[in-house]
Structure formats: structure tokens, C-alpha cells
Amino acid sequence: MPLLVHDVPISTVESMERALSGYIRRWFEVPRSFSSIGLYSSGSKLQLPLSSVTEEFKATKARQVLVLRDISDEKVSGAQVEVNTGRKWRADKAVSDAEARRKHNDIVGTTTMGRLGLGGVTRASWKATALSQR
């Protein structure tokens, strides 16, 4: 929650994560060279119940951009509030890039892989879900 309220640059969050990762490595008694991917990965064989502070920061700021943009109150959505995240990463650009990738995937459609054939894999389109949410 503090990451949502305060304007903290991402470089500060990354330095906090470096310090936190050092403490976690010491606590688990793994070498200093142990990768952060090993600590925070959700797709590896050793899955720890930890999440990266940087990833949580990015998700929180992107969620804040979406809430401020899509809120039903006209005064809040019309205020054009800018979410400050520093110079290294911009939340509004990340949200627009993700939406553009999603729209592109809708245009391309579901591609077939292997022997599945046409229509073997189906998924909901972004347009249908976006219209049903509003």
C-alpha cells in the first residue's frame, strides 16, 4: 500500500530490493551469487512464496494508472492525474504497451502449433472482454 500512495522512483525500489535480496540470501544460507531469478521465480522447480518488490511496484503503479483512467467519477478521470515513477520506467507507457500487445494478439488471432489444426485452441478475445467489463 505505501507504494501506491507515495511517489517513489523505481531506482529507489530497486535498491531496496537489492538490500532485501541480500538479507533473504543470508537467511536461506545460499551463496551471494545465487540469482534473483531463483528467489522470485514462479516457474522454477524451487518455488518460494516470495515476490519481487520491483514487480510488485510495477504492478501497483500500472493498477493505479488503470484505476485513475477508468474510474466512473468524471472529475477524477478528467483530472488527468499523472503517476510518477521516475525516469527509468513509466507506468502509463507500460499500460499502453500492454494494451497494444493485447490488441495485436486479437488481430493475429490464435495460431496453431503442432498437430492441433484449425480451431484446436480457443480463447476469449480482448474486444469481447473489454466490452463486457464496461
Side-chain angles (χ1 to χ4, degrees):
M1 188 62 152
L3 294 176
L4 184 64
V5 176
H6 300 293
D7 288 336
V8 180
I10 194 162
S11 56
T12 305
V13 174
E14 288 172 343
S15 64
M16 287 178 4
E17 183 173 340
R18 275 193 300 277
L20 183 65
S21 295
Y23 290 125
I24 292 172
R25 284 185 186 93
R26 218 172 308 145
W27 185 44
F28 285 138
E29 297 178 356
V30 295
R32 291 178 56 176
S33 61
F34 189 72
S35 172
S36 293
I37 296 170
L39 288 176
Y40 304 118
S41 175
S42 61
S44 64
K45 291 191 181 219
L46 173 65
Q47 295 180 4
L48 301 172
L50 303 173
S51 60
S52 169
V53 177
T54 305
E55 291 303 315
E56 290 294 327
F57 172 79
K58 289 180 177 182
T60 303
K61 290 299 182 174
R63 200 172 299 122
Q64 184 179 14
V65 166
L66 291 172
V67 165
L68 289 173
R69 186 189 68 189
D70 298 337
I71 196 163
S72 61
D73 187 7
E74 293 91 20
K75 291 185 180 183
V76 176
S77 62
Q80 302 294 327
V81 178
E82 186 174 323
V83 178
N84 296 326
T85 57
R87 290 182 288 176
K88 281 175 89 174
W89 180 79
R90 295 188 48 96
D92 53 349
K93 184 175 179 342
V95 167
S96 64
D97 289 348
E99 288 175 340
R101 280 192 306 272
R102 199 61 190 149
K103 288 177 185 177
H104 179 263
N105 285 343
D106 271 352
I107 293 169
V108 171
T110 306
T111 57
T112 59
M113 296 180 70
R115 297 182 177 192
L116 289 176
L118 294 175
V121 178
T122 58
R123 65 175 178 85
S125 70
W126 184 75
K127 289 185 286 189
T129 57
L131 292 176
S132 65
Q133 289 177 354
R134 291 186 180 181

